[in-house]
Amino acid sequence: MSDTPPEILVPAEDLRTFSAALLEKAGLSAEHARTTADVFVWAAQRGVDSHGTARVPAYLDLLAKGVANADPRLTVESTAPAAAVLDADRAPGPVALTAAADEAVRRARETGIASVGVRRTVHTGAIGYYVSRIAGQGLVGLGFVAGMPNMGYTGVRGAAVATSPLAIAVPAREHAPLLLDMATATIALGRIRQAKASGTPLPEGAAATADGTPTTDPEEAVMPLPLGGAKGSGMSLAFELLTSVLVGAPIFASFHAGDRKHRQNALLIALDPAAFGDPEAFVAAVDDTLATLKDLPVADGADGVFYPGERSAAVAGERGRKGIPVTPKVWRELTEQAERLGVAVPV
């Protein structure tokens, strides 16, 4: 019989309101607190718990220490109709990237395709949220993020590049949108921490010691290794060029020169199918493509054929009906913060 305490199920809207109240008490405006909470609850509802409400205490800490700016002045600079740079003024990532996604959609409606670079933000959260926001408007969304080096690079001793993610969302009509959301690392840092807590060996080639030596021992592992070796590390370096260097806020070079101050940069792209033809025909063809995939013969031992984002959309539906599970540890952290900040806890 397990002694593990059961998870707490919290309705999505209650969790959103609770998280927003905590963030507002920590200094964010009501609008920015709600925006940030939206991103966390979206991730938690889709089963991406590492980027869900478990991140709220960490964001409270970022705000308390001044790493994240609670009262940022977002500014948009542009010299071309289809491109802009949003300076986040160290705003939390959900605030900055939500604004960037909306700006990209607005511009793409006029120009067919538009890109918005984001500089000087702090921890972007689940990048899939922002491209899904674009897809929710009927456009194709693409996103790239670069952050602080915390992953190995093929041929380098120690941490060299970031576990920089890529996300693509494509709208459909009958199906849930395709959502590809992936990091350039073999496993997440959180997975290493979980393995350490449980004493479970790590997969071969997934993690390394501080000097870059591959290891399966979670006690020795301190960083993930790139997905596909040189492919993953090369993608991460390319994303640094497409984001940080492009918007004039390099991270990689300054980090290795000694500047370890936390920051992230991003690039969001919105593409309007109407600029290429009939948008209704496009989403119909997307549906046809996804249906064709799902009708292919199922391999022995597989439980079905799925496209990116399909299963997380199903999880979102289930958790929307039953509530979002919150682990006892995370719930304890949230309620302790609520007591400290004078915020009501959902009953």
Side-chain angles (χ1 to χ4, degrees):
M1 184 175 180
S2 173
D3 294 327
T4 304
E7 294 176 317
I8 298 95
L9 289 176
V10 185
E13 189 53 37
D14 288 352
L15 198 54
R16 185 178 291 108
T17 300
F18 182 38
S19 299
L22 290 170
L23 291 161
E24 188 174 354
K25 281 287 189 177
L28 292 180
S29 68
E31 179 186 0
H32 286 176
R34 182 75 177 187
T35 295
T36 304
D38 278 344
V39 177
F40 293 147
V41 174
W42 178 90
Q45 191 166 342
R46 295 183 71 95
V48 190
D49 297 312
S50 60
H51 286 66
T53 45
R55 303 298 309 182
V56 173
Y59 270 61
L60 297 177
D61 188 54
L62 289 173
L63 290 164
K65 292 179 177 177
V67 175
N69 186 357
D71 186 26
R73 181 174 177 267
L74 305 183
T75 56
V76 176
E77 305 166 6
S78 178
T79 58
V85 175
L86 186 150
D87 190 296
D89 190 26
R90 295 185 296 106
V95 173
L97 269 73
T98 297
D102 293 345
E103 181 71 13
V105 168
R106 185 186 69 76
R107 288 173 179 262
R109 293 269 189 226
E110 299 176 359
T111 59
I113 183 170
S115 58
V116 178
V118 178
R119 69 170 166 238
R120 296 201 304 144
T121 190
V122 176
H123 196 274
T124 55
I127 188 174
Y129 173 90
Y130 313 108
V131 295
S132 294
R133 188 179 180 91
I134 293 171
Q137 298 296 311
L139 284 71
V140 175
L142 298 89
F144 310 89
V145 169
M148 306 298 287
N150 58 358
M151 180 177 78
Y153 185 96
T154 303
V156 174
R157 186 175 66 250
V161 292
T163 56
S164 302
L166 155 71
I168 301 171
V170 182
R173 185 165 56 193
E174 303 297 333
H175 290 77
L178 178 141
L179 174 58
L180 174 68
D181 187 351
M182 56 172 281
T184 49
T186 302
I187 60 172
L189 278 167
R191 174 89 179 276
I192 295 175
R193 288 192 289 267
Q194 289 172 348
K196 187 175 295 186
S198 63
T200 306
L202 293 162
E204 291 279 353
T209 61
D211 66 0
T213 303
T215 181
T216 60
D217 185 348
E219 290 296 331
E220 295 183 0
V222 299
M223 66 179 177
L225 289 170
L227 182 67
K231 294 178 181 179
S233 56
M235 287 173 66
S236 177
L237 186 62
F239 295 169
E240 165 72 3
L241 300 178
L242 288 173
T243 59
S244 306
V245 175
L246 189 65
V247 301
I251 294 177
F252 176 83
S254 62
F255 176 90
H256 289 292
D259 182 0
R260 304 301 167 90
K261 183 174 62 179
H262 173 75
R263 68 268 193 209
Q264 292 189 344
N265 300 305
L267 178 70
L268 295 180
I269 300 171
L271 187 155
D272 189 354
F276 295 80
D278 182 356
E280 288 302 316
F282 172 72
V283 291
V286 171
D287 274 333
D288 183 57
T289 301
L290 299 179
T292 300
L293 172 73
K294 293 189 66 59
D295 284 342
L296 294 176
V298 179
D300 293 343
D303 57 358
V305 178
F306 302 95
Y307 62 88
E310 181 182 5
R311 282 186 279 198
S312 62
V315 171
E318 182 180 1
R319 290 188 172 187
R321 293 186 298 271
K322 297 181 178 179
I324 297 175
V326 181
T327 66
K329 177 178 181 293
V330 171
W331 188 248
R332 183 174 64 252
E333 291 174 346
L334 292 174
T335 53
E336 286 174 354
Q337 292 284 4
E339 183 177 354
R340 179 179 69 84
L341 295 169
V343 172
V345 176
V347 178

